[in-house]
Amino acid sequence: MGSLPDIDSFPRTLPGDSPLTPPPDTPILLQRGEGLLKADVVLTAHDGAPVVLKDYRRYAGTWMALPARLLIRHETRMLERLRDWPHSPNVVGHLGKLAMLLEYVPGEMLSESLDPANPLYFAQLMTALTSLHATSIVHNDVRGSNVIVHRGRLVLIDFASALYLPGGRLVRFLLKPMRRSDISSVLKFKARLTGEALTEEEKRLGRKPEWIRTLQRVWKKRLLPYLKSRFAGPNRRR
């Protein structure tokens, strides 16, 4: 594969489409990389098997190529640490320094599941997150579009924001509130997946520390809009 050709001509998958299991004859656009340092995500074939191509190559030759390369390296390291964990995709390979190939997991996003009122999904998601945290990794971006449901199996995707925080007193201090932030994101699904309100204990567990909420507000309302207006413009598709 070379550079990604004519991305606008690729067909798109729509919510409710049946998952593809054979290799697609034509690459299928799953997500357009709109925004700051967002990848094009394409379902394609590699060695006769379906794979997901996460592609930052439109940044080649720009100053954003370096942070894009760092994102690829970071996500690769996170997923390599989780190679034997059943709730994440495996890394299949790389296309240069700005694109990676990931195991394709067929299924639906949890946010678009045809049967969302399933308490089993909530229990599985909490169990998966607990086992992830036991490896000293926090996902840091748990949301419905980053959880794939396939035949009762839940798979977390998009580990670009994940953090590995092993050992050390300072790191343990950071790990606890970051874990709580992940749990808070999962607890937001409880009412939808089980029809039950949060218990007082769950409300306590899901309450993010004030300093994390402050950082998130500053990032979302000030830093991210500034970075998008300042840097994303020159790299938009023509």
Side-chain angles (χ1 to χ4, degrees):
M1 288 181 178
S3 60
L4 194 62
D6 298 327
I7 193 168
D8 290 323
S9 68
F10 291 172
R12 294 192 62 125
T13 55
L14 299 174
D17 285 353
S18 58
L20 296 178
T21 49
D25 295 328
T26 302
I28 297 174
L29 178 65
L30 302 179
Q31 175 184 293
R32 179 195 287 276
E34 295 288 354
L36 185 68
L37 279 176
K38 296 294 185 180
D40 295 317
V41 181
V42 177
L43 176 61
T44 185
H46 178 71
D47 290 341
V51 294
V52 172
L53 169 66
K54 193 166 185 178
D55 197 328
Y56 294 91
R57 286 176 290 182
R58 73 179 186 278
Y59 294 123
T62 73
W63 74 270
M64 296 183 74
L66 177 58
R69 285 166 56 184
L70 293 177
L71 280 177
I72 289 282
R73 290 173 58 185
H74 174 74
E75 186 163 8
T76 298
R77 285 196 297 267
M78 292 297 104
L79 291 175
E80 288 295 340
R81 290 186 180 278
L82 296 170
R83 175 170 291 277
D84 297 322
W85 193 58
H87 303 289
S88 63
N90 289 320
V91 177
V92 175
H94 296 83
L95 301 179
K97 297 180 179 179
L98 290 173
M100 64 191 303
L101 298 172
L102 299 168
E103 173 192 1
Y104 170 60
V105 181
E108 296 177 299
M109 292 184 293
L110 184 61
S111 57
E112 297 172 349
S113 174
L114 296 178
D115 183 23
N118 189 337
L120 181 61
Y121 289 164
F122 175 74
Q124 286 183 333
L125 191 52
M126 288 294 289
T127 299
L129 203 59
T130 299
S131 64
L132 177 67
H133 291 167
T135 68
S136 299
I137 292 176
V138 290
H139 186 275
N140 211 28
D141 193 18
V142 179
R143 47 181 163 163
S145 59
N146 282 340
V147 181
I148 302 297
V149 180
H150 177 55
R151 296 179 180 175
R153 176 193 177 199
L154 298 185
V155 176
L156 282 166
I157 60 173
D158 196 355
F159 280 76
S161 300
L163 295 173
Y164 177 55
L165 300 170
R169 183 174 299 177
L170 176 60
V171 173
R172 286 198 300 270
F173 170 78
L174 293 173
L175 183 59
K176 185 175 180 179
M178 297 301 290
R179 284 173 173 170
R180 181 172 291 184
S181 181
D182 269 0
I183 291 172
S184 175
S185 298
V186 174
L187 289 174
K188 291 178 181 178
F189 295 119
K190 183 180 179 180
R192 178 180 175 185
L193 297 178
T194 68
E196 300 175 359
L198 296 180
T199 66
E200 290 302 316
E201 177 63 13
E202 287 171 337
K203 290 179 182 178
R204 184 189 67 80
L205 289 174
R207 191 174 299 118
K208 296 180 183 179
E210 182 59 33
W211 66 270
I212 287 184
R213 293 201 298 266
T214 299
L215 285 177
Q216 290 176 333
R217 285 195 300 269
V218 171
W219 169 251
K220 290 180 180 179
K221 295 184 178 180
R222 296 188 179 183
L223 293 179
L224 187 58
Y226 170 77
L227 290 172
K228 285 182 176 179
S229 63
R230 179 68 177 82
F231 299 115
N235 293 286
R236 289 175 185 160
R237 295 184 186 281
R238 297 175 181 176

